[in-house]
Amino acid sequence: MKTAMSYEHFIQVAELRTKVLEAAARYDFAETPKALLFAERCHAGQRRKGPAKLPYIIHPLTMACHALALGLAEDELIATALLHDTCEDCHILPEELPVNATVQEAVRRLSFFPEPGVEHSVARDRYFARIPGNRIAVLTKLLDRCNNLSYMVYGFSRDKLLDYIEETERAVMPLLTYAEKNYPHDANALFLLNYQMHSTMNSIRALLERNL
């Protein structure tokens, strides 16, 4: 069973990777191929939380493919999606990323680090406060949260699920409202992200209520 699961993971990663590289070639992306290779190297051996223990690279790859499916076929956005966790999880500075300054800045805004002497909740509020003003960072965070919401049932306790939903409503949904106001040309993608996140949260809440 373990061997079969590992093989399925390998196929999933390979398919997602192929989609990203095909899009990069089709649109003549310069940053995305570099970002993909670097993200693969940084996240090598890392696994997502939960019983399935999926290879971590599936997360940024899925975000990149999600962006492409939403019509957000933009080199710097896809590169940011691929690299959004590398600084935070792999102890790398944004300026060390092998991509342009636009991608580096978006990843910097998306990297959360605890602040010495600062309560975690305060540090998280400061983190979310610095994301607006950068369209690529805002869209990447929405893609990130959408993917995490869909996966969290595999690795979160009941309390953690509720806390994550609460944080999403308090800190992430305002980013979506901000994007709707400031990026009207992204309206279709934002509508789908809004629908997907709310649908997932409502479904999880309903299941938790039934199991009271």
Side-chain angles (χ1 to χ4, degrees):
M1 181 65 180
K2 186 176 181 180
T3 301
M5 183 66 73
S6 298
Y7 178 72
E8 289 175 5
H9 292 168
F10 172 78
I11 295 299
Q12 186 175 2
V13 169
E15 290 177 347
L16 293 170
R17 188 177 192 276
T18 296
K19 288 181 182 295
V20 171
L21 289 177
E22 286 179 346
R26 184 183 315 123
Y27 298 112
D28 197 25
F29 288 167
E31 305 304 319
T32 294
K34 294 182 292 183
L36 175 56
L37 291 175
F38 193 75
E40 288 177 326
R41 187 161 69 249
C42 289
H43 293 300
Q46 294 181 353
R47 299 278 174 171
R48 298 211 75 186
K49 296 178 181 179
K53 300 296 182 184
L54 297 176
Y56 196 87
I57 194 64
I58 285 179
H59 172 52
L61 279 171
T62 300
M63 286 173 56
C65 291
H66 192 180
L68 292 168
L70 291 173
L72 300 171
E74 303 171 24
D75 189 17
E76 291 168 338
L77 174 60
I78 303 303
T80 300
L82 292 168
L83 293 171
H84 77 284
D85 276 338
T86 52
C87 292
E88 184 176 323
D89 291 350
C90 307
H91 309 291
I92 295 167
L93 296 174
E95 55 267 29
E96 295 177 307
L97 299 173
V99 287
N100 66 25
T102 299
V103 178
Q104 290 177 355
E105 173 59 16
V107 174
R108 184 191 69 79
R109 294 188 184 223
L110 292 165
S111 299
F112 172 75
F113 296 101
E115 301 178 41
V118 177
E119 291 186 11
H120 181 81
S121 60
V122 174
R124 288 294 289 177
D125 287 343
R126 291 177 180 175
Y127 162 73
F128 282 108
R130 71 169 178 259
I131 295 175
N134 186 303
R135 173 179 169 273
I136 291 175
V138 171
L139 292 176
T140 302
K141 189 62 198 180
L142 295 174
L143 290 162
D144 178 43
R145 187 54 60 111
C146 192
N147 184 254
N148 283 335
L149 283 170
S150 68
Y151 185 76
M152 66 180 182
V153 292
Y154 296 106
F156 286 7
S157 66
R158 177 190 179 85
D159 288 343
K160 180 67 173 176
L161 284 170
L162 292 172
D163 286 345
Y164 202 69
I165 289 174
E166 186 278 329
E167 182 187 77
T168 301
E169 294 178 328
R170 175 179 53 81
V172 179
M173 299 316 292
L175 289 178
L176 192 140
T177 301
Y178 171 89
E180 290 172 336
K181 179 179 179 180
N182 290 277
Y183 315 130
H185 54 289
D186 295 318
N188 289 337
L190 293 170
F191 173 84
L192 289 171
L193 286 167
N194 190 2
Y195 174 76
Q196 290 167 338
M197 284 191 282
H198 272 111
S199 296
T200 302
M201 290 189 292
N202 289 339
S203 296
I204 291 171
R205 273 209 188 94
L207 289 172
L208 290 176
E209 289 173 0
R210 289 183 182 182
N211 290 324
L212 284 176

